[in-house]
Amino acid sequence: MPSYTAPVRDMQFLLHDVLEVSQAGIPGYEELDRDTTGAILEEAAKLAENVLAPLNPVGDAQGCRLENGVVRTPDGFKAAFDQMREGGWTALDCDPEYGGQGLPYLMSTAVGEMFSAANMAFNMYQGLTHGAYNAIHAHGSEEQKATYLPKMVSCEWGGTMNLTEPHCGTDLGLIRTRAEPQDDGSYRITGNKIWISAGEHDMVENIVHLVLAKIPGGPEGVKGISLFIVPKFLVNEDGSLGARNAVSCGGLESKMGIHGNATCVMNYDGATGFLVGEAHKGMRAMFTMMNEARLGVGLQGYAQGVVAYENALGFAKERQQGRAVTGAQMPDAPADTIMVHPDVRRNLMDQKSITEGARAFVFWGASLIDQAHRSQDKQAEGLISLLTPVIKGFLTDKGFETCVLAQQTLGGSGFTREWGLEQFVRDARITMIYEGTNGVQSLDLVGRKLAADGGKPVMGFFEMVKSFIAENKGADADFDTQFLEPLKAASKDLQSAAMFFMQNGMKSPDEALSGSYDFMHLFGHVCLGFMWGRMALAARKGLEAGGDKAFLNAKIATGRYYMARQLPATSMHRARIESGAAPVMALDAESF
Amino acid sequence: MPSYTAPVRDMQFLLHDVLEVSQAGIPGYEELDRDTTGAILEEAAKLAENVLAPLNPVGDAQGCRLENGVVRTPDGFKAAFDQMREGGWTALDCDPEYGGQGLPYLMSTAVGEMFSAANMAFNMYQGLTHGAYNAIHAHGSEEQKATYLPKMVSCEWGGTMNLTEPHCGTDLGLIRTRAEPQDDGSYRITGNKIWISAGEHDMVENIVHLVLAKIPGGPEGVKGISLFIVPKFLVNEDGSLGARNAVSCGGLESKMGIHGNATCVMNYDGATGFLVGEAHKGMRAMFTMMNEARLGVGLQGYAQGVVAYENALGFAKERQQGRAVTGAQMPDAPADTIMVHPDVRRNLMDQKSITEGARAFVFWGASLIDQAHRSQDKQAEGLISLLTPVIKGFLTDKGFETCVLAQQTLGGSGFTREWGLEQFVRDARITMIYEGTNGVQSLDLVGRKLAADGGKPVMGFFEMVKSFIAENKGADADFDTQFLEPLKAASKDLQSAAMFFMQNGMKSPDEALSGSYDFMHLFGHVCLGFMWGRMALAARKGLEAGGDKAFLNAKIATGRYYMARQLPATSMHRARIESGAAPVMALDAESF
């Protein structure tokens, strides 16, 4: 069975040595001193390591069962969920007005990595509730907030997002679910939704479904979509639970992974719903929910990589097979551990440098969200809006890749259920698909975010990288050659690709969209290169200040690996982008 | 449920327009005219499409069961196996002296792709038998051949390879299974083997296990390994089945994929075994088996990609979602098919260009084997020996990648069991691991094959590519820029990387081995680029001769895509290789 140890040390390094949170000037951050964050992370680690992680293979093996309309979660899930709720972990960054702890999003991100790494399928139940909380918090009426949010903050009630229908996923304009206005101001919701994560289960008293539907007579397409609250049980005026609403789980999806999470077909048979925000403005509200959800999915992706890497490393340190090519390292043992083999190292260093870089990227992204929300910083908002599809698309691709690499470290054992690596691969796979496939993320990046606000956010990003290089150049020759020069070259590839889009995308949008996926990866690599530059710099400063040598030197060595072995991908992506649309679009559909 | 249509048209193009088999001058090839190969392929296609493919999800869902020592295969497997045997498909390239049909290995490769694509787990039962047949055919005594081969050719009896033990996989020198000589010339075999594919099942009367074991008193390590035949039932002199041997299945492995194949723990409790070839020379015999098995695994890898791509394409042609960015293509429908979106095209073209290139590479490899065996051509033997780890390692990585890409084409549907794509991903995953992990393949390539025979094979390969470019340059400007120039640049990257190994590997083997995996991929890309050059040339000739325009133009367009979008990976691999060992080996094992 796989194990999990939360990377508290690395998280503390990011919070205090890289992001320097307590000096960041973001409201709420001043309280985040090293002891405070350390105490929170250590407590979260205990829950993740001792309660959630052991349930991960259980959830995978048992899955969920639909019995007389009720979904039964795997053995132990309910008790663990109660423990999580009672520990206040579901309320971490929620509004104190509704019972939340009001901590920065950054802290809930750090804790979220742990819970996701420990048990992704389990953690989705509260993750979806949190997403629904966000949407109601941002767009609901005062009455709706008062009715639903306190119970959602405490996760006594769950929440869901209902977008997809059998004939429409990405193209929500095709939605058929109807919402007919009633005399009392409510709506009758009728339709079928599929792939509803946590749509029905036995861990909460009530489930607050957020449902996209069309009010008859409204505009065509996405402009006619409205958002509704449809609770499983209607809520009485005194807050107690009332009648069972006409919404039910019609079936569970059989799927590749995240078996512990119930993926439901949801039937709305004239269910009572309540409009959230304005009629026909549902997409805007949904996007509030989705943007943060996308960051959360990026986190899920690399978090699976984190736990997979840990277990691969554990195996590599134990497994004895073959001899070092430079001579036996453990002459008294029948063989050396496989750590001696350069190709095993290459594999482990890929995993380590990707996951540590990804963590830095997501923590930085979370701090930008805090900056945008807590300091009303428009520049931070523009930047995180630009980076969101990169975090979602690139980090889930890389997280899955890391799981596959980790599985490979174990050889044949990696393919067996017993060792658990194959579950990480199967679970991580969904992160590349849901909350908008990674192809859709790349479309969002190139088709929307790049040109947003006259291109200010992307120009700001280029400027930020350029300044970082300029400000830190010349102090250390190794740092210059190993970090700054590769970062400069990679950033140049990114700018060149963006320029290609600008010059050619005007003539034909296909020229830009044919390269969108490569651009997303190119951008991701530059972000991780930038993160590694910042981390190596922080590590150098730490060493000068007499910090933990083993940890800080390892950080620099891992960064050097990323710059030398991962970053060269940027020139490949650039070449693919600059080959244009012709090779991509040449074939008629019939000639495939 | 997924479907499968065998690519007979493409196979015929490769056999007759690219490899020009009937003029190749290889004994046995002169009979392979277009009608003959067409008839064989069409018949094989029927079995693959109508019998094997429908059983693929059945095998995945049911898996195998161990009941009182007997492994029950999934419903329908036995009947299909009998149909395959009775159709003569297991005997295709076997020696006519033992009941085989004596066809070239190339033809059994083409048929093997179909059977593997249709049902990989099922086809392994005969694939392993064929591998064991090969080893006995090459190294067994006349008596052993007469006793075992006819029944193995017809697959009335099965065969297995028993290498791995719990504490040793790659490092076979650690094997503990003992073989004690008996007075009658037989051996008593005692030990435990794991991960034995098809080790026990209910589709054959007898199973001929090939077992690696050590005769007490022999040399240490791999030099003390011998190979033994250990039949499940001993064979009487008249060929009838005698006593049950002391070999049994102790359990079935629970694994990520290939559920329809029984992966067995095999216990040898003083079982009677018969030495194959000379004592202590077992590794040599095993390598005979493994080299061809590695080609077979490379084939399995891309074959899963083939069927995954077909189903992704089918989905993309049906699924209506969104509008073409250049304007609605199906204005009367609620949305265009997703084929209109450039990023969906990019994804499908990756799949198409990889799988068609891989097929060409494997067919060429199979023809080299025929050339080596049937014409005793030492040069062909050296070349295929060099290319074998590339075929196994690169094509299984790319085959898996193709399955993941195909799954992505389907969005959320790709994650559900219902659509079947996720099974292709899970099944393909093992091909990167078994028959030597892909890391081990890269070690074999760089540590052994590159320097073999004074480097003649690799120099021969470079020369071959160079001549191809020189001979075909200047006839067509598009062909020059779209095919020959990229191939030349990629080949230069490969030569430069090989040169780096030569110059630095002498000082420290780590310098070469740190780049072995990238070198394997770099080599693979050059091979596929070379294949695409040859295919595009053949397509151009076909067009000049008035051939099928739609097919041949699509072939050229697909090749152009590969050259523009896949081949740029070579410079990335070269950069990673040339960054040397330092970034890879910098960390102490304890600092990870």
Side-chain angles (χ1 to χ4, degrees), chain B residues 2 56-60 119 257 304 420-428:
Chain B
N56 195 40
V58 176
D60 185 59
N119 197 328
Q304 289 303 294
L421 272 290
E422 62 92 34
Q423 185 191 345
F424 301 134
V425 173
R426 289 186 289 103
D427 286 356

Side-chain angles (χ1 to χ4, degrees), chain A residues 458-519:
Chain A
V458 73
M459 298 310 291
F461 176 81
F462 289 145
E463 198 50 51
M464 192 179 274
V465 173
K466 202 174 145 188
S467 305
F468 175 80
I469 294 170
E471 283 163 21
N472 296 294
K473 206 166 52 178
D476 182 290
D478 278 351
F479 185 66
D480 287 358
T481 36
Q482 291 170 8
F483 288 87
L484 298 181
E485 284 168 23
L487 177 59
K488 191 174 173 183
S491 179
K492 206 183 134 200
D493 285 333
L494 185 63
Q495 291 183 58
S496 163
M499 190 62 72
F500 178 85
F501 289 159
M502 284 208 275
Q503 288 170 343
N504 298 280
M506 296 296 175
K507 281 178 287 182
S508 157
D510 283 350
E511 291 290 335
L513 297 182
S514 295
S516 64
Y517 210 91
D518 282 288
F519 189 79

Side-chain angles (χ1 to χ4, degrees), chain A residues 22-39:
Chain A
S22 43
Q23 293 99 60
I26 300 170
Y29 272 39
E30 62 284 350
E31 291 159 30
L32 298 181
D33 60 50
R34 209 176 275 265
D35 287 349
T36 305
T37 62

Side-chain angles (χ1 to χ4, degrees), chain A residues 9 22 114 145 208 223 257 334 346 366 410 425 441 500 531 569:
Chain A
R9 175 74 186 85
S22 43
M114 293 185 193
K145 291 194 216 179
V208 181
K223 289 177 182 164
R346 185 263 322 154
L410 276 77
V425 173
Q441 303 300 323
F500 178 85
M531 291 300 109

Side-chain angles (χ1 to χ4, degrees), chain B residues 83-130:
Chain B
Q83 204 174 330
M84 181 191 233
R85 295 197 311 98
E86 284 155 17
W89 296 110
T90 63
L92 223 52
D93 68 335
C94 294
D95 189 343
E97 201 178 329
Y98 304 105
Q101 298 188 33
L103 280 168
Y105 177 65
L106 176 58
M107 288 312 294
S108 100
T109 297
V111 171
E113 183 199 305
M114 293 185 192
F115 292 175
S116 243
N119 197 328
M120 176 171 153
F122 175 89
N123 198 46
M124 287 173 65
Y125 291 99
Q126 74 107 353
L128 284 150
T129 306
H130 195 273

Side-chain angles (χ1 to χ4, degrees), chain B residues 60-87:
Chain B
D60 185 59
Q62 292 188 3
C64 295
R65 302 186 314 280
L66 179 61
E67 289 173 356
N68 302 321
V70 178
V71 170
R72 303 286 169 205
T73 50
D75 293 347
F77 268 41
K78 173 86 171 85
F81 198 74
D82 288 344
Q83 204 174 330
M84 181 191 233
R85 295 197 311 98
E86 284 155 17

Side-chain angles (χ1 to χ4, degrees), chain B residues 12 34-44 89:
Chain B
Q12 288 281 67
R34 210 176 275 266
D35 288 348
T36 304
T37 62
I40 295 170
L41 296 177
E42 289 292 354
E43 277 307 306
W89 296 110

Side-chain angles (χ1 to χ4, degrees), chain B residues 287 291 294 384-390 392 435-452 513 516 519-520:
Chain B
F287 269 113
N291 268 331
R294 285 175 175 181
I384 189 59
S385 173
L386 171 73
L387 296 177
T388 294
V390 182
K392 198 282 184 183
E435 289 302 318
T437 65
N438 287 356
V440 169
Q441 303 300 322
S442 77
L443 190 65
D444 178 45
L445 175 65
V446 170
R448 193 180 300 155
K449 301 294 178 66
L450 212 49
L513 297 182
S516 64
F519 189 79
M520 181 174 76

